Amino acid sequence: MEEKRRLIMLPGPTNVPDRVILAMMKPMINHRGPEFAALLSSVADGLKYVFETKEGVYVLTSSGTGAVECAISNIIDPGDKVIVPVFGFFSERLKETVTRHGGNVIEVPVDWGKAPTAEQIEAAIKKEKNVKLTAVVHNETSTGVTVRDLPQMAELAIENDALLLADSISILGGDHLPIDKWGVDLCVTGAQKCLACPPGLAMISVAKRAWEVIGKKKVKPPFYFDLPSIREHWLRKETPFTPATLLYYALDESLKMIREEGLENRFQRHATCARAFYSGFEALGLKPYAAENVRSNTVVTATLPSAVDVNKVKDIMKERYNIVITGGLGKIRTLIVRIGCMGAVSEPAVLATINSLENTLADLQYPVKIGAGIEAARKIFHSK
Ligand code: PLP
């Protein structure tokens, strides 16, 4: 059965431009030959541009979680102290990953919908001696919250001889994240979010300070996620194991598209689309779940009125209006809607989504003034 093409407004995967899909229509190549070496070089250059780093950025054939696990398992020895602010579903998972690798988690609990602050991290680092790593979900995809204090958290890591790991899976390529300027030691992302690629690849940047720690690690890293081996192969323009070659072509094309647009323009586009979403929500009487000062530009969330069933919203949006959005995760699974404002997101996509959400609420007998949401969202695009 051929799948219907719908507007995918999920917080990953996102809509993939045809150019990126068509880039994969290639014959098989030897991944230990000159064609793959050339492809890998091009991808490596593109990633340095998007990560804004001179250091190495490596591609893993895995989803984003693989890159998170790779980072943790190459840094942490059993008993090492790791600060993890927990403020949503993905930071819970990050905590669990550290625990599974024997790390001693110093949890900084934060209410869902809010972001951890540099002051909270500083207090934890000062209280605990010898913290090895602060591991932060940069954009909490379950709540639509961005950690705006990430640069200060990186400074704190440097001052206290610790490292900073950012899980930037749902934000890198959609909002500011200059790795070298901010001093982020390890940063991970996934292809299927703001880079607008199909799922299946993850990326990890590793700065000099992180390599020093990796070099002193006592317990060997996992065989598949051995960063020194990955780096060694990367220098020869290879990967240790069979890479998803076709996805590398897709990534290469999407990185070219990002360069053509320019990072600053891309960030502006995401920010404008996010403002239009929040303005549209407000006009529909829906409150964003995230606190105002930490609202994400790449994942937007809104609390549903208690009488409205999230599954019905999702179903009507999909079946009647052909737009795919999703609900909450974990303890707020039924309370909110989450919408991806990522990758190829544009004015037509935002207006179509707000329009459909407005109609869906009306279909569910929720009293909305038809036209209010779209009018508010439209104003954002036209008041520039
Ligand atoms: N971390 C964050 C912040 C995410 O948003 C996601 C996925 O949505 C993940 C981790 C897990 O990524 P994946 O599903 O690609 O393994």
Side-chain angles (χ1 to χ4, degrees):
M1 189 185 80
E2 200 183 331
E3 283 297 325
K4 190 168 172 183
R5 193 189 274 228
R6 293 191 159 94
L7 186 64
I8 304 294
M9 298 304 287
L10 293 169
T14 57
N15 302 290
V16 178
D18 288 350
R19 235 180 98 176
V20 173
I21 295 286
L22 290 173
M24 291 189 288
M25 305 288 279
K26 298 270 195 328
M28 284 301 132
I29 54 168
N30 177 7
H31 61 274
R32 309 228 180 266
E35 297 89 350
F36 186 72
L39 176 59
L40 187 146
S41 288
S42 176
V43 165
D45 284 351
L47 286 173
K48 284 185 179 177
Y49 172 74
V50 178
F51 277 68
E52 298 185 63
T53 182
K54 291 196 170 56
E55 309 282 347
V57 185
Y58 308 94
V59 182
L60 309 173
T61 293
S62 83
S63 78
T65 307
V68 175
E69 188 134 53
C70 176
I72 300 286
S73 59
N74 277 266
I75 297 291
I76 297 302
D77 277 320
D80 283 343
K81 287 186 183 173
V82 183
I83 294 179
V84 185
V86 175
F87 56 112
F89 181 85
F90 290 101
S91 35
E92 295 265 14
R93 273 192 178 179
L94 183 57
K95 179 177 109 179
E96 173 66 17
T97 312
V98 174
T99 305
R100 291 230 188 160
H101 287 278
N104 174 5
V105 173
I106 319 290
E107 181 175 339
V108 176
V110 178
D111 290 344
W112 287 34
K114 293 189 177 150
T117 61
E119 288 73 32
Q120 287 171 305
I121 301 299
E122 183 169 24
I125 286 200
K126 293 266 145 70
K127 183 161 168 250
E128 301 289 335
K129 300 284 173 264
N130 305 320
V131 168
K132 193 172 198 182
L133 177 73
T134 301
V136 182
V137 172
H138 180 188
N139 193 65
E140 191 28 278
T141 318
S142 64
T143 57
V145 161
T146 298
V147 176
R148 296 283 170 208
D149 282 2
L150 198 73
Q152 293 87 328
M153 291 178 189
E155 271 172 36
L156 280 168
I158 294 169
E159 282 163 25
N160 291 279
D161 204 19
L163 295 176
L164 180 81
L165 159 67
D167 167 352
S168 302
I169 289 177
S170 62
I171 189 166
L172 190 136
D175 207 341
H176 293 94
L177 178 48
I179 296 293
D180 288 357
K181 187 172 166 207
W182 287 0
V184 178
D185 299 298
L186 296 131
C187 178
V188 301
T189 198
Q192 77 277 21
K193 309 269 182 186
C194 300
L195 303 180
C197 272
L201 294 180
M203 286 123 262
I204 176 166
S205 69
V206 188
K208 278 196 195 70
R209 275 165 26 89
W211 282 119
E212 282 164 22
V213 173
I214 292 166
K216 291 186 201 141
K217 200 172 134 53
K218 297 187 197 94
V219 177
K220 279 191 176 178
F223 194 56
Y224 191 68
F225 289 132
D226 180 336
L227 272 176
S229 162
I230 291 168
R231 172 165 71 167
E232 206 182 297
H233 284 79
W234 200 256
L235 293 173
R236 303 203 297 265
K237 311 271 182 285
E238 281 186 17
T239 54
F241 311 105
T242 310
T245 2
L246 294 183
L247 292 176
Y248 271 68
Y249 284 117
L251 177 61
D252 191 38
E253 195 63 27
S254 100
L255 293 169
K256 283 181 183 148
M257 289 179 73
I258 296 175
R259 243 186 228 262
E260 285 164 22
E261 180 177 18
L263 275 185
E264 203 49 51
N265 290 338
R266 194 175 177 86
F267 299 155
Q268 285 291 330
R269 174 167 59 77
H270 281 77
T272 307
C273 288
R275 272 200 297 133
F277 267 124
Y278 292 126
S279 189
F281 290 160
E282 201 180 315
L284 294 177
L286 303 179
K287 200 171 170 304
Y289 184 74
E292 192 167 357
N293 58 340
V294 291
R295 277 177 202 164
S296 172
N297 288 340
T298 59
V299 179
V300 299
T301 56
T303 306
L304 286 174
S306 54
V308 174
D309 178 338
V310 68
N311 289 322
K312 287 196 178 137
V313 172
K314 276 163 53 180
D315 286 351
I316 297 174
M317 290 283 288
K318 181 176 173 211
E319 300 307 335
R320 190 174 294 166
Y321 301 108
N322 216 21
I323 296 181
V324 184
I325 64 165
T326 194
L329 282 170
K331 66 182 184 189
I332 54 170
R333 200 170 50 82
T334 58
L335 304 185
I336 66 169
V337 284
R338 293 182 306 135
I339 298 176
C341 181
M342 293 176 165
V345 69
S346 61
E347 177 180 345
V350 175
L351 295 185
T353 308
I354 286 287
N355 184 43
S356 306
L357 184 60
E358 184 169 292
N359 280 281
T360 300
L361 292 173
D363 295 345
L364 290 168
Q365 316 304 325
Y366 177 72
V368 279
K369 188 164 157 269
I370 289 290
I374 195 137
E375 177 57 24
R378 222 185 90 81
K379 269 201 188 120
I380 300 293
F381 292 109
H382 293 267
S383 66
K384 276 191 286 173

